[in-house]
Every structure is written in C-alpha cells, then in structure tokens.
Amino acid sequence: MTRLGPLRGPIALARNAVGRAATVAGTGALAAGTFAPDAYATSITGTIVCAGWATLWSATLPRTPVGNTATALYLAPSWSLAGLLTAQHFVPGVDWWWQLLADAAWTVGVWKARPARSARVLVGREKSLTPTAIEESKEILAQDTVQGGPQHPMAAYWAQRVAIEDGAAPHTVLEQIVRTGPESMTAVIRSTLPGKPVPKIDLLELSAAINWPEDDIAITPVPRQGAGVRRLVIGQAPEQAMDLNTAWEKHIAPKGMPGTVITQIRTVDIPDPEEEGAKELRA
C-alpha cells in the first residue's frame, strides 16, 4: 500500500478520506447489486460520475509511458466498478456467492493497492511523496529521534536558553559534547533548518546566555564540514586533555596563523640518533 508521507497536508488528508469513502461506497453498490437489482440505476449513476472525473483528471496527464501508466491506474477503480455492476445486472444465472467473491476481490484490490494514489505518485502530484518531501521527512524524523532521546544537560540548557527564537543561536542544537577539563568543554553546533547555515552567533549574547566569559568562548568551522555545523569551545582545557585540533584552534592559530584549521595529520617515524650509533658500533 502506498502510504501518505509525514509531510501530508490537509488536502492530501481530505483526498485520502474521499478515496476511502468511495471504496466503501463501491463495495456497498456491489453488494446492493447482488441482492437488489433495482438499485442498479442509482449505483451506476454514481459510478459514472466518478469515472467521468477520473477521465477528466487523466486527460491532463502527458502522453508518455509514465503518463499512460498513471492514466490506467487512475481509471481502473471506477471503470472496473462500472463493469462489475453492469455484469451483475445484465448477466443472468450467476450465483450470488460468485458475485460476492468478485465484489470482495474488487474491494481488497482497491483498498490495498490504492491505484489512484499510485497514479498521482507516478506523475509527481502527491506532494507528500515527492523525493524532496521524502528527504525532508527523513530529516524531521531524525530530529524527532534525537530530541526524543536522553539529552546531555548542556544540550537541554542550550535548547531552553540559547536556541530559542530570540536567543543567541536560534534554530540550532548542541551535539557531540565533550568535557575537556574541570571548566572546559567542546561541542558541535548544528542548524536545525535543512540547508541553512548556523546563524552568526554574537559571543557577547552567548556569554550572557550561558554565564561564561566571552574571552573563553570560541566558535570555529568544523574541518571538512559545511556551514550547517560549527565547533564550540568553552573554557581553557588542560593541554594534556586537548587533542591536536583543539590545541591548534585555541592556542596556535589565533596567535600565529589566524583562520587556519588542521585538515589532516600524518605521523612520521624519526630514527633515534643514539640507536643508529649503537648499531654502527655493533657492526
């Protein structure tokens, strides 16, 4: 079954309800045709109205393989229902249980397969199931998962005091929080708006929000990452607790090479001169 995406709007929901109601009405019409042949005129009139609408909608589709497939799918429920109703009324001698079996097959097929919705998806007219909407849905679900799980106290504080609409960093979250010393930490600031950068954060406002001296707060780019994330460094970490990237950002780059970041680290084995001399003596 083709389900509506998480970004479904009110029109999609209303269309979904109408489709379900039409399926139930079609089932009722088929059942009535089995036991009350006089109901044929009413049933076929309603079915023809639905089939006419399906035909008009299908006429707006492009005459391409995809468009033709969508047309067939969209027309299938109403025109197949019209065919079944007509066969019930005009073909004599068919036992009632065979009629009910055909009715059940039509109902299950339409209810499960949702051919009309599948047609809209094929031609991109089901807005909640377009590739863009699906990607946005994944991002929303991922954010909901993060927010629903246990939060670091600093992340919770950030969400309540800093990431609010008029806060120092609206529409952001604090992730990958690492305590680097008794009074220091690093973290990653991430924008919660898909495709948008982390907003420009005023260190004075942030200092007031978290009650920490602005001189001990640094916000820098994250190597190999876009503007949607930024690294936050708070406090002076002990040298032994700092990794090389943090030490560079806090102590080396600001004084000697402003604006630079470490992108790659390569280790090289340096021979010990004393060991080399000992080897030569033994030789």
Side-chain angles (χ1 to χ4, degrees), residues 23 27 30 80 84 97-113:
T23 303
T27 302
L30 288 170
S80 62
L84 283 173
W97 59 81
W98 285 112
Q99 296 184 43
L100 289 183
L101 186 62
D103 300 349
W106 180 88
T107 300
V108 171
V110 174
W111 190 272
K112 290 291 186 181

Side-chain angles (χ1 to χ4, degrees), residues 278-283:
K279 289 180 181 178
E280 291 179 1
L281 289 175
R282 286 196 296 270

Side-chain angles (χ1 to χ4, degrees), residues 109-122:
V110 174
W111 190 272
K112 290 291 186 181
R114 306 304 299 270
R117 178 180 294 171
S118 299
R120 291 194 299 272
V121 172
L122 271 179

